[in-house]
Amino acid sequence: VDLDALEAAARGLLTENAWGYYSSGADDELTLAENVVAWRRVRLRPRVLRDVSVIDTSTSVLGIPVRLPVLVAPSAYQRMAHDDGERATARGAAAAGTVMCAATLATVSLEDVAAAAPDAPRWMQVYVSRDRGVTAEMVRRAAAAGYSALIFTVDLPVLGNRRADERNAFALPAGRLMANFGAAHPSVEGGSALAEHVRTDLDPALTYDDIGWLREVSGLPVLVKGVLRGDDARACVDAGAAGVVVSNHGGRQLDTAVATADVLAEVVDAVAGDVEVLVDGGVRRGTDVVKALALGARAVLVGRPVLWGLAVGGDKGVAEMFEVLRDELARAMALCGVRTVGEISRDLLAR
Amino acid sequence: VDLDALEAAARGLLTENAWGYYSSGADDELTLAENVVAWRRVRLRPRVLRDVSVIDTSTSVLGIPVRLPVLVAPSAYQRMAHDDGERATARGAAAAGTVMCAATLATVSLEDVAAAAPDAPRWMQVYVSRDRGVTAEMVRRAAAAGYSALIFTVDLPVLGNRRADERNAFALPAGRLMANFGAAHPSVEGGSALAEHVRTDLDPALTYDDIGWLREVSGLPVLVKGVLRGDDARACVDAGAAGVVVSNHGGRQLDTAVATADVLAEVVDAVAGDVEVLVDGGVRRGTDVVKALALGARAVLVGRPVLWGLAVGGDKGVAEMFEVLRDELARAMALCGVRTVGEISRDLLAR
Amino acid sequence: VDLDALEAAARGLLTENAWGYYSSGADDELTLAENVVAWRRVRLRPRVLRDVSVIDTSTSVLGIPVRLPVLVAPSAYQRMAHDDGERATARGAAAAGTVMCAATLATVSLEDVAAAAPDAPRWMQVYVSRDRGVTAEMVRRAAAAGYSALIFTVDLPVLGNRRADERNAFALPAGRLMANFGAAHPSVEGGSALAEHVRTDLDPALTYDDIGWLREVSGLPVLVKGVLRGDDARACVDAGAAGVVVSNHGGRQLDTAVATADVLAEVVDAVAGDVEVLVDGGVRRGTDVVKALALGARAVLVGRPVLWGLAVGGDKGVAEMFEVLRDELARAMALCGVRTVGEISRDLLAR
Amino acid sequence: VDLDALEAAARGLLTENAWGYYSSGADDELTLAENVVAWRRVRLRPRVLRDVSVIDTSTSVLGIPVRLPVLVAPSAYQRMAHDDGERATARGAAAAGTVMCAATLATVSLEDVAAAAPDAPRWMQVYVSRDRGVTAEMVRRAAAAGYSALIFTVDLPVLGNRRADERNAFALPAGRLMANFGAAHPSVEGGSALAEHVRTDLDPALTYDDIGWLREVSGLPVLVKGVLRGDDARACVDAGAAGVVVSNHGGRQLDTAVATADVLAEVVDAVAGDVEVLVDGGVRRGTDVVKALALGARAVLVGRPVLWGLAVGGDKGVAEMFEVLRDELARAMALCGVRTVGEISRDLLAR
């Protein structure tokens, strides 16, 4: 009935290797914990005696209509959670009426993800390779397969220190590939196979110019994910970004980085309405969604909760997770005295 | 000897279904906990060397003399706590010299509540039904039965997510009715029967105009309960409210809503003395009462403590609970150097 | 070797009745805990490269030279801790070179306390009785017995709600009397015998005029103990007090009253050097003493630590407790770069 | 793989006497804990889309090139951790490309430390003896043995109250000497042998003039270690110090002294670039190093982590500990969007 229960159920179903990969954060996991706490710390000032007989949770993101302002955050290796992997997630997102983000490091190819829910909106997350040709080809394939935007992840020039993965010598299970490249992970002795992949294949030399490059080679609008500062957000906009995603990669990259709830307002103010601002990290309740929108986000993304739903019930589990969040959001809106997401404003927050 | 002990005793006497219903809050119960903590966090600056040989805890609320500035908060289904239910509460409140608030969802009819303590002051709490005729009839019956004011609850357009009730599939025990309507709850498969009732019967389209409507159909002054903002309080006054009750419904509706102790001063300042301001939520000690009055409340309401007293000792238990609070209040006043509730001022609070 | 260890040792030696009486606070014991924490929370900014080869912890209080700025706080019923009771405390204080405060509710008469350490400085704590003749006689006896000041306790117009004493039905053990009056406590059925004594015998109608009255009948300077506000402290001075003691009665009277460390500066600033300011409550370390003096106190009083020393070793235990505190104070002063108590200033404190 | 794991491994290898000596702090160990927490509390605001393909952690300290801005803090008695003691630490520091600080209370003579890594940079920590001739001789020997600076420790005019050492009756194991003097510790009955040594041999009368004296007798630049205030830092500079080390002696001297992370900026601002500012205390992560440099430190020193590495693996353990910190620092820099230590600025920190 809520995401806590879903998490507990998922934990019982996943291998140590997969659970460790999905749940862990960097170093001492302080930002991982702070992401959740930062939303809870924000206090709501509900309004009363507004007619809330009809609550409308729908909105649009980059012009795409969605039934609720909650999207699928890109996450890798979803066939570790469920045999159908990203296919099921795409179908679940479609059923929920929201946007699927496919990951570069998916275990189902982007074309197969598209085929799983051909009419539903989808975005493609991008890690840029040292070999730019590899990335150019992938984003062109994404455009061809009907992805309508790129999510350009910029907070992973190197991999964060995820102790669980080091301890578990994290590796993809037998038969799971990086499906967008038809390739297995580099094999490593001990340590994390992903860490090795990032070290050898991903490009640590990215700059703001790569926003334009991605737009050009793909013909798609580019959202920049991993921004935690107003000035960086402004620079993204100036470089042609179609939006920014305030994110610290779910606490998995730089530990003690600011919680996203704590910097969202700064980013929103810096961007000044020129592009849409999304946010992820620690969203677990409908009230968290209200707070994110009150701070100025257009929508939020959820990552781990999608994986919990996927692990527990495949596409139906994903759809049900979104249904829970939508119910909670509608209830929170009614209790705050707002009927539409457009009525959610910063004035709902204490201090 | 104090309310903690009373709570522990009550817990041992109640069924899981009843205890879960009375004690639980919404979602993660953060506001439930914060309500109590917010009072405790306020620090007192007592005055010394005032003659406190005579302490007078009496005051008046809406012109009604009371022996202490603590009233019965409306709460539903009191026959789950004790066979005499709301009858006993009315007699206990009368013995304590304070105001009884009967609830719309009482398990004893408002006329029987009135008959239980005919000479004592009583108010009627109102949930407005989708069928306005139902509510109009109820408030006219209340006026006829000698209720002198309405408490119009405005923070329940939908029901909060009370996980205990969902888990327990909360239902009224056999033989317990919504006595004001002579009706049983709608029956539900699993889940909370109350949630179903709210969904189907209560009106989520209330506005400030309903304050005037209630006053008109009943001829009674209307206090608006569930206000957490200065601007809303002002709007209530402008719409003809006779008072406001700062309340988050005991943490049972919108989780992470502000604690009442934290917004009381804002509401008091916004109302600027035009009407009386009451407050509930987390009051457990005489010192809490002093703090509420120091922040500008005319009086406080207590809900769960009444139910604990009721469960433990029927009308005598309720009266004794008030006696404990009155002793604690008198002691706290003496130790603060104030003799009358009128001498309690904001200057007693640190910061 | 430090006061924590002493407390643990004492606990093992005392009856439940005595331990409960000495250790408990009022209500939820929040101020009791906060007193200790408030000192710890203050951060020191030590100075370096001062010649601290000679550290002098001595000072004077009301003109009386003391070896350290730590005095015996008045506490009742010391023969519950050790058969020699207040006699031993007086001898221990004398050995330590500091001032003994005898209590109105002592289990050894003030004359016998004086006789135990005839040459040492001593003050008399005063609870004023409803029968003023009783008090007038006691303070005149004190003057005759060489007490050089009165400590007028003003924060006990009624007794705080000490749950341990109610639970234990606190009573003086057989053979222990209120020795200053040669009287046993009023006997009570259940509940605290002290609570009954306060209710029936002590005067709740004290005012600032009583400062002058006490000075007049005794001929002694009067320190007012139990002040927690600047304006009250000022009023004491204007009424002729020779000093004020910032105190919340060790957290035993008004729960959630401000911690003494948190209001000391306000009182010091209000008094503006016109009289000396003392403080008690939660002092357990030499660094706490440095902080109190840095905030402007002339000296601190310790209550429970004296009783721990007394319980463990009689007069020697008391003297040793002071020796530990003096060693800690000297070390803290050296590490702060100050040689004399006069060099301790507010500049040593962070923020 | 990180310092937590190294600490746990070391703990399993050390005697109670040695572990107690290395790990303990003064009194209630509040500053010991706060040192670590204060770094963690600082939140990072990483920059994105900077080319971080090449990360350079190297810098210089007092003109000495180092591979990372992390140096060996002086610590005593290293042969308690490993038979090779300070020799191994010197070799480990040399392998890591950083500066070794030898301690006055070393268990290997300063000449033998120098001989262990003759080409590597080394500094000599100085406790000044009451017999100034002893110190003059030691610092001249240090100059002769190629030490290029003195670290003048000024926060130990007396020894902090380290309860573990008192409890363990701390003493050097048989065969371990204060090797710089070829002397055993004074023998004591119970209590700490170090406490006795400090009391009898070290000079508590140091002043700012001793900075010049040390420089004169040694011909070496003098860094003053143990400064926690801007005004003291300024005074050190005015007295001819070549640098200051913000330190509270690892929480081992004055408990409740400010955490070093909390006062670093004040000291940096007071010194205003005239000399270099170093800092130690609680640094356990690469992110902590980034924060220290962002606040204006030239470099940090680590004490306990060196001992953990030494205990676990001798010189290789020390080198590996530095390698872990350098990897973490490089990762943190990349994730913050900075390529060189010169690019680390206060703007990376929240608030």
Side-chain angles (χ1 to χ4, degrees):
Chain A
V1 291
D2 55 27
L3 273 53
D4 284 356
L6 199 61
E7 179 178 15
R11 180 165 203 167
L13 295 168
L14 294 171
T15 64
E16 183 70 16
N17 183 60
W19 175 257
Y21 176 73
Y22 292 149
S23 66
S24 64
D27 288 356
D28 302 302
E29 304 193 334
L30 299 173
T31 294
L32 176 74
E34 189 76 356
N35 271 350
V36 172
V37 169
W39 293 116
R40 296 191 173 198
R41 210 163 31 207
V42 178
R43 289 286 172 259
L44 289 166
R45 303 171 64 236
R47 300 179 195 126
V48 292
L49 289 173
R50 269 73 177 179
D51 172 353
V52 290
S53 49
V54 180
I55 298 293
D56 184 357
T57 64
S58 72
T59 185
S60 70
V61 187
L62 290 194
I64 303 165
V66 287
R67 282 184 66 227
L68 74 170
V70 185
L71 286 62
V72 174
S75 42
Y77 309 137
Q78 299 189 10
R79 293 189 68 201
M80 296 197 309
H82 188 277
D83 197 50
D84 294 343
E86 290 82 357
R87 261 183 216 93
T89 302
R91 283 193 296 259
T98 191
V99 176
M100 164 73 180
C101 293
T104 295
L105 297 179
T107 45
V108 170
S109 76
L110 64 93
E111 287 83 2
D112 289 348
V113 169
D119 301 329
R122 53 187 166 274
W123 294 347
M124 182 74 211
Q125 179 267 339
V126 183
Y127 285 132
V128 174
S129 294
R130 289 176 186 264
D131 179 346
R132 294 298 178 98
V134 167
T135 297
E137 192 197 329
M138 183 184 76
V139 299
R140 286 193 195 108
R141 284 165 53 201
Y147 289 78
S148 63
L150 301 181
I151 297 263
F152 177 25
T153 303
V154 297
D155 57 5
L156 200 129
V158 299
L159 194 71
N161 174 35
R162 302 168 192 180
R163 297 153 90 182
D165 289 351
E166 296 294 329
R167 196 169 52 236
N168 295 337
F170 170 72
L172 276 179
R176 301 307 191 216
L177 297 178
M178 293 192 293
N180 285 321
F181 313 108
H185 262 308
S187 81
V188 288
E189 293 273 328
S192 159
L194 173 59
E196 184 59 18
H197 169 65
V198 171
R199 194 154 35 236
T200 55
D201 291 347
L202 298 193
D203 189 349
L206 302 174
T207 69
Y208 288 94
D209 294 340
D210 292 300
I211 297 171
W213 176 77
L214 279 172
R215 198 174 48 169
E216 220 161 290
V217 295
S218 69
L220 295 174
V222 176
L223 291 112
V224 182
K225 177 165 174 283
V227 174
L228 290 171
R229 306 166 54 108
D231 51 4
D232 277 8
R234 191 72 244 163
C236 290
V237 174
D238 294 344
V244 295
V245 184
V246 174
S247 175
N248 51 36
H249 214 110
R252 297 159 74 82
Q253 286 291 98
L254 178 69
D255 199 27
T256 73
V258 282
T260 51
D262 289 338
V263 291
L264 175 55
E266 175 191 327
V267 170
V268 166
D269 293 346
V271 162
D274 292 342
V275 300
E276 293 181 358
V277 176
L278 308 184
V279 65
D280 73 5
V283 172
R284 299 290 179 266
R285 285 281 181 201
T287 43
D288 297 339
V289 180
V290 169
K291 292 167 186 178
L293 269 60
L295 290 166
R298 184 76 187 178
V300 307
L301 299 91
V302 287
R304 292 181 182 93
V306 168
L307 298 169
W308 304 333
L310 178 61
V312 168
D315 57 352
K316 286 186 176 45
V318 171
E320 194 179 302
M321 187 280 300
F322 278 107
E323 209 53 39
V324 168
L325 270 185
R326 207 178 75 94
D327 283 352
E328 290 197 358
L329 172 60
R331 185 191 295 116
M333 288 172 65
L335 294 177
C336 283
V338 295
R339 284 154 289 207
T340 64
V341 299
E343 286 181 9
I344 298 174
S345 70
R346 223 173 265 185
D347 163 75
L348 284 175
L349 310 180
R351 224 143 321 153
Chain B
V1 289
D2 55 27
L3 271 54
D4 284 355
L6 198 62
E7 179 179 15
R11 180 166 203 165
L13 295 168
L14 294 171
T15 64
E16 184 68 17
N17 183 61
W19 174 256
Y21 176 73
Y22 292 150
S23 65
S24 64
D27 287 356
D28 302 302
E29 305 194 332
L30 299 173
T31 294
L32 176 74
E34 189 76 356
N35 271 350
V36 171
V37 169
W39 293 116
R40 296 191 173 197
R41 212 162 30 206
V42 177
R43 289 285 172 258
L44 289 167
R45 304 171 64 236
R47 300 179 195 126
V48 292
L49 290 173
R50 268 74 177 179
D51 173 351
V52 290
S53 48
V54 180
I55 298 292
D56 183 357
T57 63
S58 72
T59 184
S60 70
V61 187
L62 291 194
I64 303 164
V66 286
R67 280 185 67 226
L68 75 169
V70 185
L71 286 62
V72 174
S75 41
Y77 309 137
Q78 298 188 11
R79 293 189 68 201
M80 295 197 309
H82 189 278
D83 196 52
D84 294 342
E86 290 82 356
R87 262 183 215 92
T89 302
R91 282 193 296 260
T98 191
V99 176
M100 165 73 180
C101 293
T104 296
L105 297 179
T107 45
V108 170
S109 76
L110 64 92
E111 287 83 2
D112 288 348
V113 169
D119 301 329
R122 52 188 166 273
W123 294 346
M124 182 75 211
Q125 180 266 339
V126 182
Y127 285 131
V128 174
S129 294
R130 290 176 187 264
D131 179 346
R132 292 301 178 97
V134 168
T135 298
E137 191 197 329
M138 183 184 78
V139 300
R140 286 192 196 110
R141 283 166 53 202
Y147 289 78
S148 62
L150 301 181
I151 297 264
F152 177 24
T153 303
V154 298
D155 56 5
L156 200 128
V158 299
L159 194 70
N161 174 34
R162 303 168 190 180
R163 297 153 91 182
D165 288 351
E166 296 294 330
R167 195 169 52 237
N168 295 337
F170 170 71
L172 277 179
R176 301 309 191 214
L177 297 178
M178 294 192 292
N180 285 322
F181 313 108
H185 262 306
S187 82
V188 289
E189 291 275 327
S192 159
L194 173 59
E196 185 60 17
H197 169 65
V198 171
R199 193 153 36 236
T200 54
D201 292 346
L202 297 194
D203 188 348
L206 302 174
T207 68
Y208 288 95
D209 293 340
D210 292 300
I211 297 171
W213 177 77
L214 279 172
R215 200 175 45 170
E216 220 161 289
V217 295
S218 69
L220 296 175
V222 176
L223 292 112
V224 182
K225 176 164 174 285
V227 174
L228 291 170
R229 307 166 52 109
D231 50 5
D232 277 8
R234 191 72 244 164
C236 289
V237 174
D238 294 344
V244 295
V245 184
V246 174
S247 175
N248 51 35
H249 214 111
R252 297 159 75 81
Q253 285 292 95
L254 177 70
D255 200 26
T256 73
V258 282
T260 51
D262 289 337
V263 291
L264 175 55
E266 175 191 327
V267 170
V268 166
D269 293 347
V271 162
D274 292 343
V275 300
E276 292 181 358
V277 176
L278 308 184
V279 65
D280 73 5
V283 171
R284 300 290 178 267
R285 285 280 180 200
T287 43
D288 298 340
V289 181
V290 168
K291 292 167 186 178
L293 269 60
L295 289 166
R298 184 74 188 180
V300 307
L301 300 90
V302 288
R304 292 181 182 93
V306 167
L307 299 169
W308 304 333
L310 178 62
V312 169
D315 58 352
K316 286 186 177 43
V318 171
E320 194 179 303
M321 187 282 300
F322 278 108
E323 208 53 39
V324 168
L325 270 185
R326 208 178 76 93
D327 283 352
E328 290 197 358
L329 172 59
R331 185 191 295 116
M333 288 172 65
L335 294 176
C336 283
V338 294
R339 282 154 291 207
T340 64
V341 298
E343 286 181 9
I344 298 174
S345 69
R346 226 173 263 187
D347 163 76
L348 284 175
L349 310 180
R351 223 148 323 151
Chain C
V1 289
D2 54 27
L3 271 54
D4 284 355
L6 198 62
E7 179 178 14
R11 181 166 201 165
L13 295 167
L14 294 170
T15 63
E16 184 68 16
N17 183 61
W19 175 256
Y21 176 73
Y22 291 151
S23 65
S24 64
D27 287 355
D28 303 302
E29 304 193 333
L30 299 173
T31 294
L32 176 74
E34 189 76 356
N35 271 350
V36 171
V37 169
W39 293 116
R40 297 191 172 196
R41 211 162 31 206
V42 177
R43 289 285 172 259
L44 289 166
R45 304 171 64 235
R47 301 179 195 126
V48 292
L49 289 173
R50 268 74 177 179
D51 172 352
V52 290
S53 49
V54 180
I55 298 294
D56 183 358
T57 63
S58 71
T59 185
S60 70
V61 187
L62 290 194
I64 303 165
V66 286
R67 280 185 67 224
L68 75 169
V70 184
L71 286 62
V72 175
S75 42
Y77 309 137
Q78 299 189 9
R79 292 189 68 200
M80 295 197 309
H82 189 278
D83 197 50
D84 294 343
E86 290 82 355
R87 264 184 213 93
T89 302
R91 283 193 297 258
T98 190
V99 175
M100 165 71 180
C101 292
T104 295
L105 297 179
T107 45
V108 170
S109 76
L110 64 92
E111 287 82 2
D112 289 347
V113 170
D119 301 329
R122 55 187 165 273
W123 294 346
M124 183 76 211
Q125 180 267 339
V126 181
Y127 285 132
V128 174
S129 295
R130 290 176 186 264
D131 179 346
R132 293 301 178 95
V134 168
T135 298
E137 191 198 329
M138 183 185 76
V139 299
R140 285 192 196 109
R141 283 166 53 202
Y147 289 78
S148 62
L150 300 181
I151 298 263
F152 176 25
T153 303
V154 297
D155 57 6
L156 200 128
V158 298
L159 194 71
N161 174 34
R162 303 169 191 179
R163 296 154 91 183
D165 289 351
E166 296 295 329
R167 196 169 52 237
N168 296 336
F170 170 72
L172 277 180
R176 302 309 191 216
L177 297 178
M178 295 193 292
N180 286 320
F181 312 107
H185 262 307
S187 82
V188 288
E189 290 275 327
S192 160
L194 174 59
E196 185 60 18
H197 169 65
V198 170
R199 194 154 32 238
T200 53
D201 291 347
L202 298 194
D203 188 349
L206 302 174
T207 68
Y208 288 94
D209 293 341
D210 292 300
I211 298 171
W213 177 76
L214 278 173
R215 198 174 49 170
E216 221 161 288
V217 294
S218 69
L220 296 175
V222 176
L223 291 111
V224 181
K225 177 164 175 284
V227 174
L228 291 171
R229 307 167 52 111
D231 50 5
D232 277 8
R234 190 72 244 165
C236 290
V237 174
D238 294 343
V244 295
V245 185
V246 174
S247 175
N248 51 36
H249 215 110
R252 298 159 74 82
Q253 286 292 96
L254 178 68
D255 200 26
T256 73
V258 283
T260 50
D262 289 338
V263 291
L264 175 55
E266 175 191 328
V267 170
V268 165
D269 293 346
V271 161
D274 292 342
V275 300
E276 293 181 358
V277 176
L278 308 185
V279 64
D280 73 5
V283 172
R284 299 290 179 267
R285 285 282 180 199
T287 43
D288 297 339
V289 180
V290 168
K291 291 167 186 178
L293 270 59
L295 289 166
R298 184 75 188 180
V300 307
L301 299 90
V302 287
R304 292 181 182 93
V306 167
L307 298 168
W308 304 334
L310 178 63
V312 169
D315 58 351
K316 285 184 176 47
V318 171
E320 194 179 301
M321 187 280 299
F322 278 107
E323 207 54 40
V324 168
L325 269 185
R326 207 178 75 94
D327 283 352
E328 289 197 0
L329 172 60
R331 185 191 296 116
M333 288 172 65
L335 293 177
C336 283
V338 294
R339 282 153 292 206
T340 64
V341 298
E343 287 181 9
I344 299 174
S345 69
R346 225 174 264 188
D347 163 76
L348 284 175
L349 309 180
R351 226 142 319 153
Chain D
V1 288
D2 54 27
L3 272 54
D4 284 356
L6 198 62
E7 179 179 15
R11 181 166 201 165
L13 295 167
L14 294 171
T15 63
E16 183 68 17
N17 183 61
W19 175 256
Y21 176 73
Y22 291 150
S23 65
S24 63
D27 288 356
D28 302 302
E29 304 193 333
L30 299 173
T31 294
L32 177 74
E34 189 77 356
N35 271 349
V36 172
V37 169
W39 293 116
R40 296 189 173 197
R41 212 162 30 206
V42 177
R43 288 286 172 259
L44 288 166
R45 302 172 64 236
R47 300 178 194 128
V48 292
L49 289 173
R50 269 73 177 180
D51 173 352
V52 290
S53 49
V54 180
I55 298 293
D56 183 358
T57 62
S58 72
T59 186
S60 70
V61 187
L62 289 194
I64 303 165
V66 287
R67 282 184 66 226
L68 75 169
V70 185
L71 286 62
V72 175
S75 42
Y77 310 136
Q78 298 188 10
R79 292 190 68 200
M80 296 197 308
H82 189 279
D83 197 50
D84 294 342
E86 289 82 355
R87 263 184 212 92
T89 302
R91 283 193 297 259
T98 191
V99 175
M100 165 72 179
C101 293
T104 295
L105 297 179
T107 44
V108 171
S109 76
L110 65 93
E111 287 83 1
D112 289 347
V113 169
D119 301 329
R122 53 189 166 272
W123 294 346
M124 182 75 210
Q125 179 267 340
V126 183
Y127 284 132
V128 174
S129 295
R130 290 176 186 264
D131 179 346
R132 293 300 178 96
V134 168
T135 298
E137 191 197 328
M138 184 184 78
V139 300
R140 285 193 196 109
R141 283 166 53 201
Y147 290 78
S148 63
L150 301 181
I151 297 263
F152 176 26
T153 303
V154 298
D155 57 6
L156 200 128
V158 299
L159 194 71
N161 174 34
R162 303 170 191 178
R163 296 153 90 184
D165 289 350
E166 297 294 329
R167 195 169 52 237
N168 296 336
F170 171 71
L172 276 179
R176 302 309 191 214
L177 298 179
M178 293 193 293
N180 286 321
F181 313 107
H185 262 307
S187 81
V188 287
E189 291 275 328
S192 159
L194 174 59
E196 183 61 17
H197 168 65
V198 170
R199 194 153 36 236
T200 54
D201 291 346
L202 298 194
D203 188 349
L206 302 174
T207 69
Y208 287 95
D209 294 341
D210 292 300
I211 298 171
W213 177 76
L214 278 173
R215 197 173 50 170
E216 220 161 288
V217 295
S218 68
L220 296 174
V222 176
L223 291 111
V224 181
K225 177 165 174 284
V227 173
L228 291 171
R229 305 166 53 110
D231 50 4
D232 277 8
R234 191 73 244 163
C236 289
V237 174
D238 295 344
V244 295
V245 184
V246 174
S247 175
N248 52 35
H249 215 108
R252 299 159 74 81
Q253 286 291 98
L254 178 70
D255 200 26
T256 72
V258 282
T260 51
D262 289 338
V263 291
L264 175 54
E266 174 191 327
V267 170
V268 166
D269 293 347
V271 162
D274 292 342
V275 300
E276 293 180 357
V277 176
L278 308 184
V279 65
D280 72 5
V283 172
R284 300 289 179 266
R285 285 281 181 200
T287 43
D288 297 339
V289 180
V290 169
K291 292 167 187 178
L293 270 59
L295 289 167
R298 184 76 187 179
V300 306
L301 298 92
V302 288
R304 292 181 182 92
V306 167
L307 299 169
W308 303 333
L310 178 63
V312 169
D315 57 352
K316 285 185 177 45
V318 171
E320 195 178 301
M321 187 280 299
F322 278 107
E323 208 53 40
V324 168
L325 269 185
R326 206 178 75 92
D327 283 352
E328 289 197 358
L329 171 60
R331 185 190 296 117
M333 288 172 65
L335 294 176
C336 283
V338 294
R339 283 154 291 207
T340 64
V341 298
E343 287 181 10
I344 298 173
S345 69
R346 226 174 263 188
D347 163 76
L348 284 175
L349 309 180
R351 226 139 321 155

